[in-house]
Amino acid sequence: MKFSAQQIADFLHGEVVGNASVEVSNLSKIEEGTPGTLTFLANPKYTHYIYQTKASIVLVHKEFEPEHPVEATLIKVDDPYACLALLLNLVNEALTAKKGIEEPHYVAQSVTLPDDIYLGAFAYIGERVKIGKNVKIYPQVYVGNDVVLGDNVTLYPGVKIYHSCVIGNNCTLHAGVVIGGDGFGFAPQANGEYAKIAQIGNVVLEDNVEIGANTTIDRATMGSTVIHKGVKLDNLIQIAHNVEVGEHTVIAAQAGIAGSAKVGSHSMIGGQVGVAGHIKLGDRIQVGAQSGIPNHVDDDAIIMGYPAVPSKEFARQVVYIKRLPDLTRTVKELAKEVESLKEQLKNK
Amino acid sequence: MKFSAQQIADFLHGEVVGNASVEVSNLSKIEEGTPGTLTFLANPKYTHYIYQTKASIVLVHKEFEPEHPVEATLIKVDDPYACLALLLNLVNEALTAKKGIEEPHYVAQSVTLPDDIYLGAFAYIGERVKIGKNVKIYPQVYVGNDVVLGDNVTLYPGVKIYHSCVIGNNCTLHAGVVIGGDGFGFAPQANGEYAKIAQIGNVVLEDNVEIGANTTIDRATMGSTVIHKGVKLDNLIQIAHNVEVGEHTVIAAQAGIAGSAKVGSHSMIGGQVGVAGHIKLGDRIQVGAQSGIPNHVDDDAIIMGYPAVPSKEFARQVVYIKRLPDLTRTVKELAKEVESLKEQLKNK
Amino acid sequence: MKFSAQQIADFLHGEVVGNASVEVSNLSKIEEGTPGTLTFLANPKYTHYIYQTKASIVLVHKEFEPEHPVEATLIKVDDPYACLALLLNLVNEALTAKKGIEEPHYVAQSVTLPDDIYLGAFAYIGERVKIGKNVKIYPQVYVGNDVVLGDNVTLYPGVKIYHSCVIGNNCTLHAGVVIGGDGFGFAPQANGEYAKIAQIGNVVLEDNVEIGANTTIDRATMGSTVIHKGVKLDNLIQIAHNVEVGEHTVIAAQAGIAGSAKVGSHSMIGGQVGVAGHIKLGDRIQVGAQSGIPNHVDDDAIIMGYPAVPSKEFARQVVYIKRLPDLTRTVKELAKEVESLKEQLKNK
């Protein structure tokens, strides 16, 4: 699909400067712009690119006045970045629009499929599953017995949801996500073996949760592992049984949260971070990548390291460790001087 | 399904104190108990909850005598925790009972399906696969040619087992597990490129192995990658080619074991731990989370850190590193004092 | 299939010493050799095994002369390791040869399947997908709309490729790999929630890329996440949106590369390494396992640590940290001595 500068400007309530009939079919970054694409200038740091870009249209702030000639057509808007996000969404919806029911699929007899569902081929829907409005279930997805899927849920190819889990409204789960696998619960026996402790709880995702590819969230032993509303999890994250993640917290790829830990709300957890079991992290904390958190953390803490300490302290530690050879040399020299002083004093 | 206190007491050989006809349909934790659920009191630390819990039934030790009125019906047993584990198993078996063959599936001509199998829709069984008794193969599982599955094996949705691998009796593999992918073997060439080294070995899981969601175990270059009996692996773990994990060892989520490493028996490896290739870890070791192990480790070692050292030494290092700013200041002051002493001595 | 020593020697242009008619059906390591297998002696360190091995045939260098009697038949060749790699490939090809189209599958109407394809059961091919020669698509693979698959591509069971991604010639993707999931892009809102930023770019794998099981590569926000030719990625790796990995770089398991980072060519990145977003790593670098890289790295650097420093410096830091208790004790003793010197000086 192609759109003219005029059409886009009308849609964004913007103003065209230049050729209003030039057409674009895709978006680009300003430094990589190619003919037939629309790009944007939001960060003043990138202003110089506007004089070189080969993109056909550039979204700019309504106050922007070029200092040199610009080849591209400009569309002046109130907020170029917000407008771009709007266009990205439009393009994405066009690319991923899916409706209808593909064959073959497996749907248990007790299930009623809503009219507006997308159900991909080779998808499996177990007994008594409840499905909301405007749900997209891509091919090869598994939805176990008694699962509840809210409205506007998207399950990308190969998502696996074990029985009895609950997926809130507007949740998006990317390919390979596993929800509700057994928690890692084994009781050591006298003979050195381990006995399995059955895990009969579930996983509850509240509304507006997004989960990245191949992330795993284990079901609770009893009760629920809970991901509160608005949480965003990146790829390959491990959430253990009975964990709770507070609302609007974002966690980067490959982080791991051990059993029964409570992560606060509105926090940012970096990639590859590890959180110990049974601890409580405060709200609004920020954790640097690869940190290891063995103990409770207060609200608003900014921490990093293994084990994690306040980030400023971590930065200081790094500097002091780098200076250790110097410090050691200084101490050796001091020892010599002290020895020499003792000698001199003795001889006085 | 609902059960009365009397039915449960009879089953557990316990004694009812209170209303024997009250019914429950689920289990709960004592601090989260709700009407219609059964909970337990095993840890004396939680005793105060028994006077507040809304659970209908509480399993207690036969010696337990309440000091205040208790609303719930009590069932007195020899070992409340063991009884709970028993009930958890019962509930779990009821929830996950599966038999029969769902359509469509793909089973190669050379394979005979046992009568008691559960074969989910969209499962794939390759040529010459051997399948034991009471096996459950969930939907969308892939079992490659010449794989052997022992008795009581459960393969959860989307498990992938490459050709020629062997899965022992009573093994449970959770969703998304990949068994037998190629080991990471590439030979550097003179021109800076890498040539693939074909990986023709396999993976052998001995009996009673459980593997968490999305964990990957690579096939050996030649011979076998071996997971010995009773090993429990958590989610998202990487086991490289030709690794051997000793019996009854448990490994927490996101740990990685590099090629040809040998992990001992009866050990506990923490989450996100990394083990270097070609090294040997002793038996009965304990490794703290996120540790990096570059070298051989003796039997019974308790280690932590990057690189890993004895855990006590690690704790000490952490303290000493925290004190580095103080130490540095002390050294600076000493240097000044020594300088001043030298000066004074010169003037004497 | 069985082959005689003579057949193998003819194939490898080698010379038989011993029983030319002995037959083998598999390969083995020299220390684990069993009758009916062929093994090899490439590393002189292993020479003593040749006098004990139970393997029927041993590939040896043409110059090799046994110092003791050898039971096995020898085949003398120019380069035993290269000959072994050749045999491994042959065996592997025999084991994994696949052709034909299995039922059921889902292929969109706009797609033409090449004659020589292997298409496994339950595989899904979306609209307008282009498929090269000699492609193998294993069961339960998902290929989204507008994906391009080059010649000789192998997609193992359960691979998921989102729409519009490009897979070059001779690429191999192992089970559970996810290509083209959404990048982790969310814009913080004034109310503390996050707004999704649609990810409309794609992933491009150039030729000769191999990707290990359950690794995830996210699509770009705009433009492409690019894995250049010859790159080898191990299992459970995370490659974020808009990352670029330079040609012939190898990355070990569980490493993670954050958004928009550029990894150079001909580099070796260890397991569980973390690379921060928006940084640039030089060419031909080597990164030790579990390192954390927060900043740009020069060409040819050899680094390790958290945060990463030159590996030699890291080794030194480890030693100095171990000596901290000693250093602290020395400083305390010095302080005492200085105190005593001051005292003595006062009294002089």
Side-chain angles (χ1 to χ4, degrees):
Chain A
M1 281 178 301
K2 289 190 172 185
F3 298 93
S4 72
Q6 191 60 57
Q7 283 175 309
I8 295 167
D10 290 349
F11 174 74
L12 298 172
H13 304 294
E15 179 200 346
V16 177
V17 179
N19 178 3
S21 62
V22 66
E23 288 184 329
V24 294
S25 62
N26 206 345
L27 306 178
S28 63
K29 290 194 272 189
I30 195 164
E31 69 272 31
E32 299 172 352
T34 51
T37 66
L38 173 151
T39 187
F40 70 111
L41 177 61
N43 186 337
K45 212 173 72 180
Y46 288 91
T47 304
H48 62 285
Y49 282 116
I50 205 170
Y51 308 110
Q52 310 158 11
T53 189
K54 297 211 159 51
S56 303
I57 304 177
V58 187
L59 295 182
V60 296
H61 190 267
K62 60 184 172 184
E63 314 271 274
F64 176 76
E65 293 298 339
E67 298 177 352
H68 310 286
V70 173
E71 223 170 299
T73 294
L74 304 185
I75 298 179
K76 293 188 165 188
V77 293
D78 284 358
D79 181 345
Y81 192 70
C83 285
L84 176 81
L86 213 60
L87 293 178
L88 280 171
N89 269 326
L90 270 186
V91 172
N92 191 48
E93 276 170 28
L95 284 170
T96 61
K98 286 271 188 186
K99 287 285 176 208
I101 298 179
E102 296 171 354
E103 301 286 346
H105 57 258
Y106 181 100
V107 177
Q109 287 201 325
S110 49
V111 174
T112 309
L113 292 182
D115 287 344
D116 62 355
I117 196 172
Y118 166 59
L119 184 70
F122 317 121
Y124 183 102
I125 312 291
E127 295 289 353
R128 298 170 300 280
V129 170
K130 291 206 179 85
I131 306 178
K133 292 174 197 160
N134 189 32
V135 166
K136 292 177 190 171
I137 299 177
Y138 276 75
Q140 301 142 345
V141 164
Y142 172 86
V143 181
N145 295 340
D146 300 295
V147 166
V148 176
L149 303 177
D151 295 341
N152 307 309
V153 165
T154 298
L155 307 178
Y156 279 106
V159 165
K160 310 296 180 207
I161 306 179
Y162 282 55
H163 71 87
S164 312
C165 293
V166 177
I167 311 295
N169 298 317
N170 314 312
C171 285
T172 298
L173 278 59
H174 280 280
V177 163
V178 178
I179 303 291
D182 281 356
F184 196 58
F186 298 94
Q189 306 296 292
N191 63 359
E193 303 185 8
Y194 288 85
K196 166 93 177 176
I197 299 173
Q199 306 284 309
I200 67 157
N202 72 347
V203 174
V204 174
L205 306 185
E206 293 184 355
D207 295 349
N208 306 316
V209 170
E210 179 152 348
I211 303 184
N214 283 349
T215 281
T216 62
I217 305 182
D218 281 352
R219 68 192 313 109
T221 312
M222 288 180 287
S224 299
T225 305
V226 183
I227 310 297
H228 286 288
K229 67 179 177 185
V231 167
K232 312 298 179 189
L233 303 181
D234 202 348
N235 297 355
L236 291 167
I237 289 171
Q238 152 71 352
I239 306 284
H241 51 175
N242 292 92
V243 163
E244 202 173 319
V245 179
E247 58 188 58
H248 305 301
T249 280
V250 294
I251 305 185
Q254 297 177 318
I257 316 291
S260 299
K262 296 212 181 313
V263 176
S265 68
H266 297 280
S267 296
M268 302 177 68
I269 313 284
Q272 300 182 333
V273 163
V275 175
H278 297 273
I279 67 172
K280 187 176 182 314
L281 309 189
D283 296 336
R284 298 172 304 279
I285 72 169
Q286 295 177 32
V287 184
Q290 291 192 324
S291 296
I293 310 184
N295 296 312
H296 298 298
V297 172
D298 292 337
D299 287 351
D300 302 295
I302 301 175
I303 59 177
M304 180 154 195
Y306 170 61
V309 293
S311 292
K312 281 181 185 166
E313 191 178 326
F314 178 74
R316 231 176 0 239
Q317 285 182 359
V318 168
V319 171
Y320 278 107
I321 287 172
K322 281 202 178 177
R323 289 185 193 150
L324 266 179
D326 286 348
L327 184 70
T328 305
R329 199 175 317 113
T330 305
V331 170
K332 267 189 193 154
E333 282 162 10
L334 275 178
K336 264 189 216 158
E337 299 209 42
V338 166
E339 209 50 47
S340 144
L341 283 171
K342 278 160 70 179
E343 207 57 35
Q344 291 174 46
L345 206 58
K346 204 188 293 174
N347 300 336
K348 283 262 167 178
Chain B
M1 283 178 299
K2 288 189 172 186
F3 298 94
S4 72
Q6 191 60 59
Q7 284 175 307
I8 295 166
D10 290 350
F11 173 74
L12 299 173
H13 306 293
E15 179 201 348
V16 176
V17 180
N19 177 3
S21 62
V22 65
E23 288 183 329
V24 294
S25 62
N26 206 345
L27 306 178
S28 62
K29 289 193 273 188
I30 195 163
E31 68 272 31
E32 300 172 352
T34 52
T37 66
L38 174 150
T39 187
F40 70 109
L41 177 61
N43 186 338
K45 211 172 73 178
Y46 288 90
T47 304
H48 62 283
Y49 283 117
I50 204 169
Y51 307 110
Q52 311 157 11
T53 189
K54 298 212 157 52
S56 303
I57 305 178
V58 187
L59 294 183
V60 296
H61 190 266
K62 60 183 172 187
E63 314 270 274
F64 176 75
E65 292 298 340
E67 298 177 353
H68 310 285
V70 173
E71 222 170 300
T73 294
L74 303 185
I75 298 179
K76 293 188 165 188
V77 293
D78 285 357
D79 181 344
Y81 191 70
C83 285
L84 175 82
L86 213 59
L87 293 178
L88 280 171
N89 269 327
L90 270 185
V91 172
N92 191 48
E93 276 169 28
L95 284 170
T96 61
K98 287 270 188 185
K99 288 284 176 210
I101 297 179
E102 296 171 355
E103 301 285 348
H105 57 257
Y106 181 100
V107 177
Q109 287 202 325
S110 49
V111 174
T112 308
L113 292 181
D115 288 343
D116 64 355
I117 195 172
Y118 166 59
L119 185 70
F122 317 121
Y124 183 101
I125 312 291
E127 295 288 352
R128 298 170 300 279
V129 169
K130 291 206 179 83
I131 306 178
K133 293 175 196 160
N134 189 33
V135 165
K136 292 177 189 168
I137 298 177
Y138 276 76
Q140 300 140 344
V141 164
Y142 172 86
V143 181
N145 294 340
D146 302 294
V147 165
V148 177
L149 304 176
D151 295 342
N152 308 309
V153 165
T154 297
L155 306 178
Y156 279 105
V159 165
K160 310 296 179 206
I161 306 179
Y162 283 54
H163 71 87
S164 312
C165 293
V166 177
I167 312 296
N169 299 317
N170 315 313
C171 285
T172 298
L173 277 59
H174 280 280
V177 163
V178 178
I179 303 291
D182 281 355
F184 196 59
F186 298 93
Q189 307 294 294
N191 64 359
E193 303 185 7
Y194 287 85
K196 166 94 175 174
I197 298 173
Q199 307 283 311
I200 67 158
N202 71 347
V203 174
V204 175
L205 307 185
E206 292 186 355
D207 295 350
N208 307 316
V209 169
E210 181 152 347
I211 302 185
N214 283 351
T215 281
T216 61
I217 305 183
D218 281 351
R219 70 194 311 111
T221 312
M222 288 180 287
S224 299
T225 304
V226 183
I227 311 297
H228 285 287
K229 66 179 178 187
V231 167
K232 312 298 180 191
L233 303 181
D234 201 348
N235 297 354
L236 291 168
I237 289 171
Q238 153 72 350
I239 306 285
H241 50 175
N242 293 92
V243 162
E244 203 174 319
V245 179
E247 58 187 60
H248 305 300
T249 280
V250 294
I251 305 185
Q254 297 176 316
I257 317 291
S260 300
K262 296 212 181 312
V263 177
S265 68
H266 297 280
S267 296
M268 302 177 67
I269 313 282
Q272 299 182 332
V273 163
V275 175
H278 297 274
I279 67 173
K280 188 178 180 315
L281 309 188
D283 295 337
R284 299 171 304 280
I285 72 169
Q286 295 176 32
V287 183
Q290 291 192 323
S291 296
I293 310 184
N295 296 311
H296 299 297
V297 172
D298 291 337
D299 287 350
D300 301 296
I302 300 176
I303 58 177
M304 180 154 196
Y306 170 61
V309 293
S311 291
K312 281 180 185 168
E313 190 177 327
F314 178 74
R316 229 173 3 236
Q317 285 182 359
V318 167
V319 172
Y320 279 106
I321 287 172
K322 281 203 176 176
R323 288 185 195 150
L324 267 178
D326 285 348
L327 185 69
T328 304
R329 199 175 317 112
T330 306
V331 170
K332 267 190 194 154
E333 283 162 8
L334 274 178
K336 265 189 214 157
E337 298 210 41
V338 166
E339 209 50 46
S340 142
L341 283 172
K342 278 160 70 180
E343 207 59 34
Q344 291 174 45
L345 205 59
K346 205 187 292 173
N347 301 336
K348 283 260 165 179
Chain C
M1 283 178 299
K2 289 188 172 187
F3 298 92
S4 72
Q6 190 60 57
Q7 284 175 308
I8 295 166
D10 290 350
F11 173 74
L12 299 172
H13 305 294
E15 179 201 348
V16 177
V17 179
N19 178 1
S21 63
V22 64
E23 288 182 329
V24 293
S25 63
N26 207 343
L27 307 178
S28 62
K29 289 192 274 188
I30 195 162
E31 68 273 30
E32 300 172 352
T34 51
T37 65
L38 173 149
T39 187
F40 71 110
L41 177 60
N43 185 339
K45 212 173 72 178
Y46 288 91
T47 303
H48 62 283
Y49 283 117
I50 204 170
Y51 307 111
Q52 311 157 13
T53 189
K54 296 210 160 53
S56 303
I57 304 178
V58 187
L59 295 183
V60 294
H61 191 266
K62 60 183 173 186
E63 314 270 273
F64 176 74
E65 292 298 340
E67 297 177 354
H68 310 285
V70 172
E71 223 170 298
T73 294
L74 304 184
I75 298 179
K76 293 188 165 188
V77 293
D78 285 357
D79 181 345
Y81 191 70
C83 284
L84 175 81
L86 213 60
L87 293 178
L88 281 170
N89 268 327
L90 270 185
V91 172
N92 191 49
E93 276 170 28
L95 284 170
T96 61
K98 286 268 190 188
K99 288 283 177 209
I101 297 179
E102 296 171 355
E103 301 285 346
H105 56 257
Y106 180 100
V107 177
Q109 288 202 324
S110 49
V111 174
T112 309
L113 292 182
D115 287 344
D116 63 355
I117 196 172
Y118 165 59
L119 184 70
F122 316 121
Y124 183 102
I125 311 292
E127 295 289 352
R128 298 170 299 279
V129 170
K130 291 208 180 82
I131 306 178
K133 293 175 197 160
N134 189 32
V135 166
K136 292 178 189 168
I137 299 176
Y138 276 76
Q140 300 140 345
V141 164
Y142 172 86
V143 181
N145 294 340
D146 301 295
V147 165
V148 177
L149 303 177
D151 296 340
N152 309 307
V153 164
T154 297
L155 306 177
Y156 278 106
V159 165
K160 310 297 178 206
I161 305 179
Y162 283 53
H163 71 87
S164 313
C165 294
V166 177
I167 312 296
N169 298 317
N170 315 312
C171 285
T172 297
L173 277 60
H174 281 279
V177 164
V178 178
I179 302 291
D182 281 356
F184 196 59
F186 297 93
Q189 306 295 293
N191 64 358
E193 303 185 8
Y194 287 86
K196 166 93 176 176
I197 299 174
Q199 306 283 311
I200 66 158
N202 72 346
V203 175
V204 174
L205 306 185
E206 294 186 353
D207 295 349
N208 306 316
V209 169
E210 180 152 348
I211 302 184
N214 283 351
T215 281
T216 61
I217 306 183
D218 282 352
R219 69 192 312 109
T221 312
M222 287 180 286
S224 299
T225 304
V226 183
I227 310 297
H228 285 287
K229 67 179 177 185
V231 166
K232 313 298 180 189
L233 303 181
D234 202 347
N235 297 354
L236 291 167
I237 289 171
Q238 154 71 352
I239 306 284
H241 51 175
N242 292 92
V243 163
E244 202 173 320
V245 178
E247 58 188 57
H248 306 300
T249 279
V250 294
I251 305 185
Q254 297 176 317
I257 316 290
S260 299
K262 294 210 182 317
V263 177
S265 68
H266 298 280
S267 295
M268 303 177 67
I269 313 283
Q272 300 181 333
V273 164
V275 175
H278 297 275
I279 67 172
K280 188 177 181 315
L281 308 188
D283 296 335
R284 298 171 304 279
I285 73 168
Q286 296 177 33
V287 183
Q290 290 191 324
S291 296
I293 311 185
N295 296 312
H296 298 297
V297 173
D298 291 338
D299 287 350
D300 302 294
I302 300 176
I303 59 176
M304 179 153 196
Y306 171 61
V309 293
S311 291
K312 282 181 185 168
E313 190 178 326
F314 178 74
R316 233 180 354 242
Q317 285 182 358
V318 168
V319 172
Y320 278 106
I321 287 172
K322 280 201 179 179
R323 288 185 194 150
L324 267 179
D326 285 347
L327 185 69
T328 304
R329 200 176 316 114
T330 305
V331 171
K332 267 191 193 155
E333 283 161 10
L334 275 178
K336 266 189 214 158
E337 298 210 43
V338 166
E339 208 50 46
S340 143
L341 282 171
K342 278 159 71 180
E343 205 60 33
Q344 291 174 46
L345 207 58
K346 205 189 291 174
N347 301 337
K348 282 264 167 182

mmCIF file of all heavy atoms in Angstrom, chain C residues 143-158:
data_model
loop_
_atom_site.group_PDB
_atom_site.id
_atom_site.type_symbol
_atom_site.label_atom_id
_atom_site.label_comp_id
_atom_site.label_asym_id
_atom_site.label_seq_id
_atom_site.Cartn_x
_atom_site.Cartn_y
_atom_site.Cartn_z
ATOM 1 N N VAL C 143 6.442 -20.725 9.402
ATOM 2 C CA VAL C 143 7.087 -19.738 8.533
ATOM 3 C C VAL C 143 6.020 -18.708 8.171
ATOM 4 O O VAL C 143 5.060 -19.014 7.460
ATOM 5 C CB VAL C 143 7.664 -20.404 7.270
ATOM 6 C CG1 VAL C 143 8.359 -19.361 6.398
ATOM 7 C CG2 VAL C 143 8.639 -21.521 7.638
ATOM 8 N N GLY C 144 6.187 -17.493 8.687
ATOM 9 C CA GLY C 144 5.162 -16.454 8.515
ATOM 10 C C GLY C 144 5.118 -15.895 7.098
ATOM 11 O O GLY C 144 5.967 -16.214 6.250
ATOM 12 N N ASN C 145 4.155 -15.023 6.860
ATOM 13 C CA ASN C 145 3.973 -14.420 5.541
ATOM 14 C C ASN C 145 5.244 -13.725 5.058
ATOM 15 O O ASN C 145 5.959 -13.109 5.838
ATOM 16 C CB ASN C 145 2.859 -13.360 5.591
ATOM 17 C CG ASN C 145 1.513 -13.958 5.882
ATOM 18 O OD1 ASN C 145 1.296 -15.158 5.697
ATOM 19 N ND2 ASN C 145 0.592 -13.120 6.341
ATOM 20 N N ASP C 146 5.498 -13.826 3.751
ATOM 21 C CA ASP C 146 6.537 -13.044 3.085
ATOM 22 C C ASP C 146 7.953 -13.380 3.543
ATOM 23 O O ASP C 146 8.885 -12.612 3.276
ATOM 24 C CB ASP C 146 6.283 -11.532 3.279
ATOM 25 C CG ASP C 146 4.925 -11.121 2.716
ATOM 26 O OD1 ASP C 146 4.760 -11.225 1.504
ATOM 27 O OD2 ASP C 146 4.042 -10.752 3.510
ATOM 28 N N VAL C 147 8.120 -14.491 4.222
ATOM 29 C CA VAL C 147 9.484 -14.916 4.587
ATOM 30 C C VAL C 147 10.184 -15.439 3.334
ATOM 31 O O VAL C 147 9.551 -16.019 2.437
ATOM 32 C CB VAL C 147 9.431 -16.008 5.675
ATOM 33 C CG1 VAL C 147 10.775 -16.726 5.827
ATOM 34 C CG2 VAL C 147 9.003 -15.392 7.005
ATOM 35 N N VAL C 148 11.505 -15.240 3.266
ATOM 36 C CA VAL C 148 12.318 -15.797 2.183
ATOM 37 C C VAL C 148 13.293 -16.809 2.764
ATOM 38 O O VAL C 148 14.035 -16.492 3.697
ATOM 39 C CB VAL C 148 13.110 -14.683 1.459
ATOM 40 C CG1 VAL C 148 14.011 -15.274 0.394
ATOM 41 C CG2 VAL C 148 12.156 -13.665 0.861
ATOM 42 N N LEU C 149 13.261 -18.031 2.230
ATOM 43 C CA LEU C 149 14.201 -19.077 2.660
ATOM 44 C C LEU C 149 15.132 -19.386 1.499
ATOM 45 O O LEU C 149 14.679 -19.755 0.404
ATOM 46 C CB LEU C 149 13.445 -20.361 3.035
ATOM 47 C CG LEU C 149 12.369 -20.266 4.120
ATOM 48 C CD1 LEU C 149 11.682 -21.629 4.287
ATOM 49 C CD2 LEU C 149 12.979 -19.825 5.446
ATOM 50 N N GLY C 150 16.455 -19.245 1.692
ATOM 51 C CA GLY C 150 17.436 -19.501 0.640
ATOM 52 C C GLY C 150 17.589 -20.989 0.334
ATOM 53 O O GLY C 150 16.841 -21.835 0.836
ATOM 54 N N ASP C 151 18.581 -21.303 -0.461
ATOM 55 C CA ASP C 151 18.878 -22.699 -0.789
ATOM 56 C C ASP C 151 19.501 -23.415 0.408
ATOM 57 O O ASP C 151 20.203 -22.802 1.217
ATOM 58 C CB ASP C 151 19.869 -22.774 -1.958
ATOM 59 C CG ASP C 151 19.293 -22.202 -3.241
ATOM 60 O OD1 ASP C 151 18.046 -22.106 -3.355
ATOM 61 O OD2 ASP C 151 20.098 -21.855 -4.138
ATOM 62 N N ASN C 152 19.253 -24.718 0.484
ATOM 63 C CA ASN C 152 19.885 -25.572 1.501
ATOM 64 C C ASN C 152 19.623 -25.118 2.936
ATOM 65 O O ASN C 152 20.444 -25.341 3.822
ATOM 66 C CB ASN C 152 21.401 -25.635 1.282
ATOM 67 C CG ASN C 152 21.758 -26.000 -0.136
ATOM 68 O OD1 ASN C 152 21.274 -27.005 -0.642
ATOM 69 N ND2 ASN C 152 22.561 -25.179 -0.773
ATOM 70 N N VAL C 153 18.497 -24.502 3.153
ATOM 71 C CA VAL C 153 18.123 -24.107 4.512
ATOM 72 C C VAL C 153 17.517 -25.307 5.238
ATOM 73 O O VAL C 153 16.740 -26.064 4.656
ATOM 74 C CB VAL C 153 17.110 -22.942 4.476
ATOM 75 C CG1 VAL C 153 16.415 -22.770 5.824
ATOM 76 C CG2 VAL C 153 17.811 -21.659 4.049
ATOM 77 N N THR C 154 17.906 -25.499 6.505
ATOM 78 C CA THR C 154 17.270 -26.526 7.339
ATOM 79 C C THR C 154 16.628 -25.864 8.551
ATOM 80 O O THR C 154 17.296 -25.168 9.309
ATOM 81 C CB THR C 154 18.303 -27.561 7.830
ATOM 82 O OG1 THR C 154 18.853 -28.231 6.691
ATOM 83 C CG2 THR C 154 17.646 -28.603 8.734
ATOM 84 N N LEU C 155 15.328 -26.081 8.707
ATOM 85 C CA LEU C 155 14.608 -25.581 9.881
ATOM 86 C C LEU C 155 14.180 -26.787 10.699
ATOM 87 O O LEU C 155 13.310 -27.560 10.286
ATOM 88 C CB LEU C 155 13.380 -24.774 9.452
ATOM 89 C CG LEU C 155 13.633 -23.622 8.463
ATOM 90 C CD1 LEU C 155 12.321 -22.954 8.076
ATOM 91 C CD2 LEU C 155 14.615 -22.612 9.046
ATOM 92 N N TYR C 156 14.784 -26.982 11.864
ATOM 93 C CA TYR C 156 14.481 -28.148 12.689
ATOM 94 C C TYR C 156 13.121 -27.978 13.376
ATOM 95 O O TYR C 156 12.530 -26.889 13.340
ATOM 96 C CB TYR C 156 15.627 -28.380 13.685
ATOM 97 C CG TYR C 156 16.778 -29.122 13.054
ATOM 98 C CD1 TYR C 156 17.971 -28.484 12.722
ATOM 99 C CD2 TYR C 156 16.666 -30.483 12.757
ATOM 100 C CE1 TYR C 156 19.023 -29.169 12.122
ATOM 101 C CE2 TYR C 156 17.717 -31.178 12.149
ATOM 102 C CZ TYR C 156 18.888 -30.511 11.834
ATOM 103 O OH TYR C 156 19.915 -31.196 11.233
ATOM 104 N N PRO C 157 12.612 -29.042 14.006
ATOM 105 C CA PRO C 157 11.235 -29.017 14.509
ATOM 106 C C PRO C 157 10.938 -27.818 15.402
ATOM 107 O O PRO C 157 11.701 -27.479 16.302
ATOM 108 C CB PRO C 157 11.131 -30.306 15.323
ATOM 109 C CG PRO C 157 12.139 -31.218 14.730
ATOM 110 C CD PRO C 157 13.262 -30.332 14.277
ATOM 111 N N GLY C 158 9.805 -27.208 15.141
ATOM 112 C CA GLY C 158 9.332 -26.160 16.031
ATOM 113 C C GLY C 158 9.970 -24.806 15.846
ATOM 114 O O GLY C 158 9.720 -23.901 16.639
#
